[in-house]
Amino acid sequence: MNQADRRNRCNQVLLLAYQSFGLVFGDLSISPLYVYKCTFYGGLRHHQTEDTIFGAFSLIFWTITLLSLIKYMVFVLSADDNGEGGIFALYALLCRHARFSLLPNQQAADEEISTYYGPGDASRNLPSSAFKSLIERNKRSKTALLVLVLVGTSMVITIGVLTPAISGNVSSSIDGLVAKTSLKHSTVVMIACALLVGLFVLQHRGTNKVAFLFAPIMILWLLIIATVGVYNIVTWNPSVYKALSPYYIYVFFRDTGIDGWLSLGGILLCITGTEAIFAELGQFTATSIRVCCCVVYPCLVLQYMGQAAFLSKNFSALPSSFYSSIPPFFWPVLMMAMLAAMVASQAVIFATFSIVKQCYALGCFPRVKIVHKPRWVLGQIYIPEINWVVMILTLAVTICFQDTRHLAFAFGLACMTLAFVTTWLMPLIINFVWNRNIVFSVLFILFFGTIELVFVASALVKIPKGGWITLLLSLFFTFITYVWHYGSRKKYLCDQHNKVPMKSILSLGPSLGIIKVPGMGLIYTELASGVPATFTHFLTNLPAFYQVVVFVCCKTVPIPYVPQKERYLIGRIGPKTYRMYRCIIRAGYKDVNKDGDDFEDELVMSIAEFIQLESEGYGGSNTDRSIDGRLAVVKASNKFGTRLSRSISEANIAGSSRSQTTVTNSKSPALLRLRAEYEQELPRLSMRRMFQFRPMDTKFRQPQVKEELFDLVNAKDAEVAYIVGHGHVKAKRNSVFVKRLVINVAYSFLRKNCRSPGVMLNIPHICLIKVGMNYYL
């Protein structure tokens, strides 16, 4: 690497580090607002000595150093999944390097994706260890791992509910305003609720216009609290630096006893937001975050040290330690605290949307609408259902909790539990992904797990004083995610068991024993192989179908992103005369479908590319031999010589629909008029039909290839229909009571009240055909 490249790389790292101040370290940077206030609560209020204050600061310093700096900056940030972080990134890594997934839809072709394994990853060639084989064979172990991940996911959503309440308004505004003004507590709470409503209402507009302000706000906030800390150290007690010694931790517990252990529920608030550092890794790099931490860490240490110096001489100020310790310029600091807290709330809400999207992609959350607009910040999404649910819960928490310390205890329990879940997943990463000796995994869990277990035990004691809301919310979200995954897996296994054997399809002949009409039928199925029962159920009730049949399977692969050129996996079902194809569309758990994607055109081009590829005998390593035949990774790029020209239809330019002129003889004028009126109401559908495909004047080695291409193009021009199964799920009568309760009540309720598959697949309503199916699980 030459000097210019090193300079450019250094500039890029510094730019990413600057941007990460706003989205990564927001929650961690505002923790000084409430740590000391929540620590000196209960029995610890009776231990107002300098050694006790110094001991509390020493605990804060070493907690940040060990759990935030060393654990996350050194170890956890290195466990990225192709640059992505978060609890689902760890789970996806484990599912790729071991058979831990409970959904049996993996294919050998998935492992050929260029981003499936990291550079230099030789784990696929290593023999399986006895520990790994034990987990892979034991269904209960895999279920326990999934439940552990879902508990961590529910904690992320719970943090998304609590963070706006505790940081965005309660601690940053109520405590300060009540202390310095004559406003009543209830009045300030209503003002805070109004600000919260405004925060959530504006979510659908995105943060692209104000995101550039996030980093300057947080940098200014960090500089202010560091300056205030230095001021308090010099003014009140310069000897506070002695508390950096862990000796004061021993003195703290020696003097306070059980009261000191109970206070750990407040101490752990100093690391709240640390998990967000790892969760937001995908938008930045580990190097840039570590560079940013070199600024955040000393600023926080100086602030906590300054508060300790102030409190060691002003014990009466413990109930409002932060606002009492700032110099006379109270109002500027209060305004900056509110701005910084709002930035932290925005980042946590975005993280909540992101984790729900990942959870949905891996089959652990009901179908929700995911919005992404091209003008938004890269990777930013908006989920309306989650936004309003989180807003209602946040308002309820803000109004119900009169004591902000109780809210802080609930917040600390959620953050500590999430960190504890990550600590239990990391040993599996060390052993199965990094291929290190199991001794390193044991040392990691013993060191960090023991420390965090002490904090979790102390936080659990605070359940009657606010922690119950964390348990209630986490149990609610864990129940929803697990029930949806359980029901979806049972439904998939039922589809797999009832799929149609290929022998019965081949015995029907090229016409399949039905009347074929012009057009293309896209049958959506979750199966990656075989013919779904939906197809035969449709033919049983209506013995006619389109001349070209494509079985479309939208599958999520346990990697963050699938390159566009490797997304389509195309194959053939039966002989060529059947004109039946399989299309597996693979996406990563962080891939976002853009509204402008022209799916029909890409599908036709991909099938045409497969036809040409098949005729040329290509395949290489990117093929998968299944019972249906050869599946090949193709991209609609005319790489192998397929000559399909894509042009705008003159009929559309003239203002009439090409699809109307193509099928005039097969539809009545009244239907054509209704279709034209509907397309005027849905411009996107008209754009879908605007492009025409025509095989170019090319000499093919096999005349059948050109004939098949013509059939494909004619079917696309005539009509494209989307056939989606509309299932009614029930448990078998002989099932146990718990299973019948979960399937018939909980899972059925979630299916009825979530988005329909047609909406999630972005299918025009006029082209949608639903096929009813009854599932007995």
Side-chain angles (χ1 to χ4, degrees):
M1 182 182 298
N2 55 37
Q3 186 176 359
D5 292 337
R6 284 195 295 268
R7 187 184 301 110
N8 292 334
R9 184 176 180 181
C10 182
N11 293 336
Q12 184 180 10
V13 170
L14 292 177
L15 177 62
L16 290 175
Y18 167 77
Q19 295 174 345
S20 65
F21 277 102
L23 291 178
V24 175
F25 291 93
D27 204 6
L28 184 65
S29 300
I30 62 173
S31 56
L33 292 171
Y34 41 76
V35 171
Y36 280 106
K37 179 183 65 175
C38 296
T39 300
F40 288 89
Y41 179 76
L44 200 63
R45 289 177 296 182
H46 305 298
H47 301 272
Q48 296 183 359
T49 63
E50 183 177 282
D51 286 346
T52 305
I53 299 295
F54 282 13
F57 166 68
S58 186
L59 275 169
I60 293 172
F61 170 76
W62 286 105
T63 300
I64 295 177
T65 302
L66 293 177
L67 299 185
S68 292
L69 188 65
I70 296 179
K71 175 189 169 183
Y72 278 88
M73 294 299 123
V74 177
F75 293 102
V76 179
L77 283 184
S78 301
D80 66 292
D81 183 10
N82 291 301
E84 296 293 331
I87 193 167
F88 260 103
L90 299 180
Y91 183 65
L93 276 173
L94 293 173
C95 289
R96 292 209 307 271
H97 291 79
R99 295 183 180 90
F100 290 164
S101 177
L102 289 170
L103 196 62
N105 63 346
Q106 300 86 3
Q107 292 177 284
D110 296 339
E111 299 185 12
E112 299 297 331
I113 299 176
S114 57
T115 55
Y116 197 86
Y117 292 101
D121 191 349
S123 60
R124 69 176 90 181
N125 300 322
L126 294 176
S128 178
S129 64
F131 181 46
K132 179 198 266 187
S133 301
L134 177 64
I135 299 179
E136 291 178 340
R137 292 195 305 266
N138 194 331
K139 182 181 177 181
R140 292 183 178 179
S141 300
K142 294 190 288 186
T143 303
L145 178 62
L146 175 66
V147 171
L148 182 66
V149 173
L150 295 181
V151 168
T153 302
S154 66
M155 289 300 170
V156 175
I157 304 175
T158 302
I159 292 172
V161 173
L162 298 177
T163 298
I166 185 173
S167 62
N169 297 282
V170 177
S171 290
S172 59
S173 60
I174 292 179
D175 293 338
L177 291 175
V178 171
K180 294 294 182 179
T181 66
S182 58
L183 292 176
K184 295 182 179 180
H185 186 276
S186 58
T187 303
V188 180
V189 169
M190 296 309 297
I191 296 174
C193 290
L195 293 175
L196 284 173
V197 172
L199 175 68
F200 284 99
V201 167
L202 295 177
Q203 288 297 316
H204 75 283
R205 304 185 67 89
T207 60
N208 57 306
K209 294 183 179 180
V210 295
F212 71 96
L213 294 175
F214 290 174
I217 289 174
M218 296 312 303
I219 292 174
L220 185 57
W221 166 252
L222 289 168
L223 294 178
I224 287 176
I225 63 175
T227 304
V228 170
V230 173
Y231 171 85
N232 287 325
I233 293 171
V234 175
T235 303
W236 296 103
N237 196 344
S239 63
V240 71
Y241 73 91
K242 297 179 181 179
L244 294 174
S245 171
Y247 170 75
Y248 281 89
I249 298 178
Y250 163 74
V251 175
F252 177 83
F253 287 112
R254 183 196 64 188
D255 296 342
T256 60
I258 188 66
D259 293 332
W261 177 73
L262 293 176
S263 70
L264 293 178
I267 295 291
L268 64 86
L269 293 173
C270 68
I271 59 172
T272 54
T274 305
E275 186 67 26
I277 298 174
F278 180 51
E280 301 294 340
L281 180 60
Q283 294 191 347
F284 308 97
T285 62
T287 303
S288 63
I289 291 178
R290 290 177 178 129
V291 170
C292 187
C293 185
C294 295
V295 177
V296 176
Y297 177 72
C299 289
L300 290 177
V301 171
L302 289 174
Q303 166 56 210
Y304 286 120
M305 186 183 294
Q307 280 197 59
F310 172 80
L311 293 174
S312 65
K313 303 300 181 182
N314 302 271
F315 297 110
S316 61
L318 282 171
S320 57
S321 59
F322 177 80
Y323 289 106
S324 298
S325 66
I326 60 178
F329 42 93
F330 168 81
W331 290 105
V333 176
L334 176 63
M335 294 303 298
M336 283 304 305
M338 295 181 66
L339 289 175
M342 295 296 283
V343 171
S345 301
Q346 181 66 50
V348 172
I349 294 172
F350 170 73
T352 303
F353 292 156
S354 180
I355 196 69
V356 169
K357 195 272 175 189
Q358 297 174 39
C359 200
Y360 160 73
L362 294 177
C364 299
F365 204 87
R367 293 183 293 267
V368 290
K369 182 179 180 180
I370 300 173
V371 180
H372 172 78
K373 297 181 181 179
R375 68 174 185 272
W376 286 2
V377 178
L378 181 63
Q380 182 184 1
I381 59 174
Y382 169 69
I383 304 178
E385 295 93 331
I386 301 300
N387 184 67
W388 305 126
V389 169
V390 172
M391 184 192 75
I392 294 173
L393 293 176
T394 301
L395 291 175
V397 167
T398 303
I399 296 173
C400 294
F401 279 85
Q402 298 298 320
D403 191 343
T404 58
R405 278 181 286 243
H406 290 178
L407 185 58
F409 292 145
F411 183 55
L413 177 60
C415 293
M416 200 69 248
T417 305
L418 178 58
F420 196 53
V421 170
T422 303
T423 300
W424 277 96
L425 291 176
M426 278 302 297
L428 301 178
I429 297 293
I430 294 173
N431 186 232
F432 299 150
V433 180
W434 295 352
N435 301 311
R436 302 297 183 186
N437 194 288
I438 195 172
V439 175
F440 294 99
S441 300
V442 174
L443 291 176
F444 184 91
I445 193 68
L446 284 179
F447 183 75
F448 294 107
T450 303
I451 297 174
E452 293 177 351
L453 184 61
V454 175
F455 280 104
V456 171
S458 178
L460 290 175
V461 179
K462 299 293 192 299
I463 289 179
K465 299 178 180 179
W468 59 269
I469 190 64
T470 296
L471 291 183
L472 184 63
L473 292 175
S474 60
L475 287 175
F476 173 71
F477 290 120
T478 301
F479 177 77
I480 289 177
T481 53
Y482 183 76
V483 165
W484 185 263
H485 181 273
Y486 176 80
S488 300
R489 180 167 58 88
K490 290 294 185 181
K491 180 176 175 296
Y492 181 88
L493 294 175
C494 182
D495 279 334
Q496 195 175 46
H497 177 73
N498 295 324
K499 64 183 180 182
V500 183
M502 285 301 301
K503 291 183 179 180
S504 61
I505 295 295
L506 296 175
S507 63
L508 297 176
S511 65
L512 301 178
I514 58 176
I515 301 173
K516 286 198 171 185
V517 297
M520 176 184 295
L522 306 182
I523 304 175
Y524 278 86
T525 174
E526 297 179 0
L527 296 177
S529 63
V531 178
T534 308
F535 182 56
T536 55
H537 187 67
F538 183 93
L539 298 183
T540 302
N541 293 274
L542 183 64
F545 209 75
Y546 296 97
Q547 64 186 90
V548 174
V549 180
V550 183
F551 294 94
V552 182
C553 172
C554 298
K555 185 177 72 169
T556 301
V557 185
I559 57 177
Y561 301 98
V562 176
Q564 183 65 31
K565 63 180 180 180
E566 302 177 57
R567 184 160 295 183
Y568 286 86
L569 191 63
I570 306 294
R572 185 187 298 278
I573 298 179
K576 296 181 179 180
T577 54
Y578 280 44
R579 301 295 191 261
M580 297 175 63
Y581 308 94
R582 180 179 306 283
C583 175
I584 301 177
I585 306 173
R586 303 177 295 185
Y589 57 82
K590 295 206 72 173
D591 276 320
V592 178
N593 293 327
K594 299 179 181 179
D595 293 339
D597 288 345
D598 202 334
F599 167 70
E600 293 178 7
D601 293 345
E602 290 186 0
L603 178 63
V604 171
M605 293 294 288
S606 298
I607 296 176
E609 185 74 9
F610 168 77
I611 294 172
Q612 181 66 13
L613 181 148
E614 187 183 42
S615 66
E616 296 291 338
Y618 288 95
S621 60
N622 288 330
T623 58
D624 177 39
R625 176 67 65 177
S626 67
I627 61 172
D628 302 337
R630 174 174 296 177
L631 294 172
V633 177
V634 298
K635 182 179 185 295
S637 60
N638 291 334
K639 178 179 178 182
F640 291 96
T642 299
R643 294 296 182 262
L644 283 186
S645 62
R646 184 184 184 207
S647 59
I648 298 179
S649 170
E650 295 180 359
N652 278 281
I653 297 176
S656 59
S657 172
R658 172 188 50 77
S659 58
Q660 293 177 9
T661 59
T662 304
V663 293
T664 302
N665 295 331
S666 61
K667 292 180 181 287
S668 67
L671 289 178
L672 290 175
R673 185 172 59 256
L674 290 174
R675 182 183 178 92
E677 292 176 357
Y678 188 88
E679 290 185 356
Q680 289 177 0
E681 298 176 0
L682 190 63
R684 181 171 55 84
L685 180 61
S686 298
M687 289 300 298
R688 282 174 178 254
R689 306 299 190 203
M690 182 176 290
F691 295 98
Q692 282 186 315
F693 290 95
R694 288 293 179 265
M696 299 177 64
D697 189 10
T698 304
K699 294 182 179 179
F700 295 92
R701 296 181 180 179
Q702 302 176 9
Q704 297 85 354
V705 174
K706 189 172 184 179
E707 179 184 354
E708 189 171 2
L709 289 176
F710 268 107
D711 290 343
L712 179 66
V713 169
N714 291 334
K716 167 66 168 60
D717 290 343
E719 183 70 30
V720 177
Y722 297 76
I723 295 89
V724 179
H726 183 69
H728 298 276
V729 180
K730 291 184 179 180
K732 297 179 181 178
R733 293 184 178 180
N734 58 350
S735 301
V736 296
F737 173 76
V738 175
K739 182 178 179 181
R740 284 187 280 116
L741 181 66
V742 169
I743 297 296
N744 296 343
V745 179
Y747 183 64
S748 297
F749 175 81
L750 293 176
R751 283 177 56 87
K752 292 178 182 177
N753 292 276
C754 68
R755 298 278 182 171
S756 65
V759 174
M760 296 304 302
L761 297 170
N762 200 23
I763 298 175
H765 183 70
I766 196 173
C767 304
L768 179 62
I769 300 175
K770 292 184 178 181
V771 180
M773 293 286 293
N774 290 323
Y775 291 89
Y776 294 94
L777 308 182

